[in-house]
DNA sequence: CTGCAGGCCGGCG
DNA sequence: CGCCGGCCTGCA
C-alpha cells in the first residue's frame, strides 16, 4: 500500500516500508532526543510509543517496524519519524550556510527529529538537568515501571510512561525511588501544574515559539534549555537552538573561536540558521559527541 | 577522596 | 536584570 511517497507492506507481525531516505537509527536515537529506545544485540531498537512496544530495524533502505500495521504507519510512525520532511533538502541548505555545517552533517546524515509525546519529554528533560544520559534513562525507566501501565508483548514486559494524573497523585517520597535526586520535587510540582491546567500543553502549537517557551518555563525545573528541547523534540517548534554544554563548546570552538555566552550563541543561531536552527543543532550535537570536540 | 555530568533555582549586587 | 553557588546521585 502506498502512503505519501512510501510503500508499506504488511506481514505477519509488522510492516516493511520502502522509500525511506536520510535515515539511520543510530543517528536518530543517539543524538540526545530520546531516552527510551534500547539498542539490541542485532542492531535493532526496541521502544515504547503510544502504549505500543515495537522493534525497529533499518536494512538495505527498508524500514521494518514490528507490532504494527498500515494503519499504525499512517497514524503513528509517519509522524513519529517525521517522514513528511525532506531532510535531503534541509541538509543541502545547511551545507550551503558554512564550512562547519558541510563538515558536520556527513557524520549524522541519517538524523531525524522525532515527534515525541510532549508530556514524556517534559519529565525526561527535567531529569536531564546536570545529569548523565545512562542515569536519565534509568530514572525514566523506573518511573515507567512503577507508575506506568504494564504492556506485555512478544518482546517481553514493558511499561508506558506514566500520565500526569499518575505522577501528580504520588507523594514526593514515592517519586524519589527513581533516584533523580533534587529533580524529584520538580517532577512532582510540574505534574501537579499540568494536572491542574496551570500550563495547557494542547495550546502550545498555536503559539509563537517565544510564547510557547515562556509557557513551558513556568513549569518547575524547566528553564530555557529544557524548554527548547521539549519544543524541538516534540515537533512543536523547529526554530529553537537548545544550547547544552556540548553545543556551547562546539559553537565556541568552530564558530566564535572564543568563549561565548548562551545569549550570544542563541542570537547567532537565530541570525545564521533561522527556521532551521533545530536541525542545525542536532547535526552539531551529534558531530560534537562523535568527534569528542573539546 | 575529589570532580563532575545534556541546568535550574534562589539569593544577591 | 546578570551573576554565582549549591545541588541528588553515582561513576571515574
Amino acid at each position: 500500500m502506498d502512503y505519501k511517497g512510501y510503500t508499506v507492506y504488511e506481514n505477519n507481525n509488522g510492516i516493511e516500508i520502502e522509500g525511506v531516505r536520510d535515515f539511520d537509527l543510530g543517528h536518530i536515537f543517539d543524538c540526545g532526543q530520546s531516552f527510551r529506545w534500547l539498542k539490541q544485540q542485532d542492531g535493532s531498537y526496541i521502544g515504547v510509543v503510544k502504549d505500543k512496544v515495537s522493534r525497529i530495524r533499518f536494512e538495505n533502505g527498508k524500514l521494518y517496524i514490528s507490532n504494527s500495521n498500515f494503519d499504525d504507519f499512517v497514524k503513528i510512525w509517519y509522524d513519529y519519524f517525521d517522514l513528511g520532511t525532506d531532510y535531503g533538502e534541509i541538509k543541502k541548505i545547511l551545507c550551503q550556510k558554512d564550512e562547519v555545517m558541510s563538515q558536520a552533517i556527513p557524520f549524522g546524515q541519517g538524523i531525524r527529529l522525532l515527534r515525541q509525546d510532549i508530556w514524556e519529554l517534559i519529565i525526561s528533560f527535567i531529569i536531564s538537568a546536570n545529569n548523565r544520559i545512562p542515569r536519565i534513562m534509568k530514572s525514566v525507566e523506573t518511573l515507567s515501571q512503577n507508575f506506568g501501565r504494564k504492556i506485555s508483548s512478544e518482546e517481553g514486559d514493558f511499561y508506558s510512561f506514566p500520565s500526569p494524573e499518575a505522577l501528580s497523585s504520588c507523594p514526593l517520597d514515592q517519586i524519589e525511588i527513581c533516584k533523580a535526586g533534587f529533580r524529584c520535587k520538580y517532577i512532582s510540582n510540574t505534574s501537579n501544574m499540568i494536572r491542574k491546567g496551570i500550563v495547557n500543553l494542547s495550546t502550545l502549537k498555536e503559539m509563537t515559539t517565544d510564547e510557547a517557551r515562556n509557557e513551558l518555563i513556568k513549569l518547575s525545573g524547566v528553564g530555557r534549555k529544557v524548554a527548547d528541547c521539549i519544543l524541538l523534540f516534540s515537533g512543536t517548534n523547529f526554530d529553537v537552538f537548545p544550547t547544552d554544554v556540548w553545543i556551547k563548546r562546539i559553537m565556541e570552538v568552530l564558530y566564535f573561536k572564543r568563549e561565548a555566552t548562551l545569549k550570544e550563541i542563541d542570537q547567532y543561531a537565530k541570525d545564521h540558521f533561522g527556521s532551521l536552527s533545530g536541525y542545525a543543532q542536532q547535526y552539531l550535537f551529534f558531530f560534537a559527541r562523535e568527534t569528542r570536540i573539546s
Side-chain angles (χ1 to χ4, degrees):
Chain A
M1 286 174 275
D2 288 343
Y3 183 75
K4 297 189 178 178
Y6 297 96
T7 305
V8 182
Y9 301 95
E10 285 185 348
N11 54 41
N12 292 338
N13 65 333
I15 48 176
E16 176 183 332
I17 303 137
E18 286 182 355
V20 179
R21 288 173 297 176
D22 308 303
F23 193 100
D24 184 304
L25 291 173
H27 297 170
I28 292 168
F29 295 136
D30 199 23
C31 60
Q33 59 181 326
S34 177
F35 300 109
R36 287 203 83 195
W37 285 93
L38 295 176
K39 186 170 188 172
Q40 309 299 302
Q41 300 268 343
D42 63 358
S44 66
Y45 286 80
I46 297 180
V48 184
V49 177
K50 291 187 191 296
D51 289 355
K52 178 185 282 293
V53 175
S54 290
R55 182 192 287 264
I56 313 251
R57 283 186 297 133
F58 188 68
E59 287 171 359
N60 305 320
K62 291 180 188 174
L63 179 59
Y64 300 87
I65 305 176
S66 76
N67 189 28
S68 298
N69 55 28
F70 179 73
D71 197 43
D72 293 320
F73 176 75
V74 172
K75 287 186 176 159
I76 300 175
W77 302 113
Y78 180 85
D79 275 333
Y80 188 79
F81 285 111
D82 199 20
L83 294 177
T85 298
D86 184 351
Y87 280 74
E89 182 63 20
I90 289 170
K91 287 187 282 187
K92 197 172 128 192
I93 295 170
L94 286 176
C95 279
Q96 289 167 352
K97 293 272 186 192
D98 59 60
E99 275 304 311
V100 175
M101 272 294 136
S102 51
Q103 183 193 0
I105 287 175
F107 281 79
Q109 55 77 219
I111 285 173
R112 275 176 179 270
L113 282 163
L114 301 172
R115 294 173 184 264
Q116 303 176 80
D117 177 70
I118 195 164
W119 160 246
E120 181 171 338
L121 282 171
I122 288 171
I123 300 303
S124 299
F125 277 88
I126 283 174
I127 295 171
S128 80
N130 196 249
N131 208 342
R132 294 173 196 268
I133 289 174
R135 291 197 55 239
I136 301 167
M137 297 178 77
K138 199 164 289 180
S139 289
V140 172
E141 186 58 29
T142 303
L143 284 178
S144 302
Q145 285 180 5
N146 285 277
F147 311 115
R149 201 171 60 75
K150 183 173 175 179
I151 309 170
S152 297
S153 75
E154 59 182 15
E155 309 289 1
D157 289 343
F158 287 77
Y159 296 83
S160 66
F161 191 79
S163 65
E165 291 71 26
L167 287 188
S168 65
S169 66
C170 285
L172 182 57
D173 61 347
Q174 279 298 298
I175 301 282
E176 284 172 344
I177 62 175
C178 78
K179 299 294 178 190
F182 63 88
R183 308 167 194 83
C184 289
K185 58 182 179 293
Y186 302 151
I187 296 172
S188 187
N189 292 339
T190 288
S191 300
N192 280 298
M193 291 175 75
I194 296 296
R195 182 181 54 76
K196 291 177 187 167
I198 295 174
V199 170
N200 185 349
L201 301 179
S202 62
T203 59
L204 295 178
K205 279 186 184 298
E206 286 121 51
M207 298 180 184
T208 65
T209 299
D210 286 338
E211 287 169 347
R213 179 189 296 120
N214 288 334
E215 199 60 20
L216 286 176
I217 285 178
K218 290 178 184 170
L219 296 170
S220 176
V222 177
R224 171 65 185 246
K225 187 267 175 181
V226 166
D228 283 353
C229 284
I230 294 165
L231 291 174
L232 184 59
F233 304 144
S234 62
T236 306
N237 300 97
F238 296 92
D239 57 339
V240 294
F241 197 77
T243 302
D244 56 36
V245 290
W246 290 93
I247 292 294
K248 183 171 188 294
R249 204 174 300 148
I250 202 169
M251 289 299 285
E252 290 173 340
V253 172
L254 298 181
Y255 284 94
F256 286 83
K257 322 279 190 195
R258 61 171 171 81
E259 291 192 347
T261 64
L262 292 177
K263 198 172 178 180
E264 284 178 319
I265 293 172
D266 194 63
Q267 188 60 47
Y268 184 89
K270 200 170 189 176
D271 297 339
H272 196 59
F273 301 121
S275 62
L276 298 181
S277 289
Y279 301 97
Q281 192 270 6
Q282 283 302 87
Y283 292 119
L284 285 173
F285 182 83
F286 192 82
F287 181 60
R289 296 189 61 109
E290 285 294 298
T291 58
R292 299 276 156 195
I293 281 189
S294 58

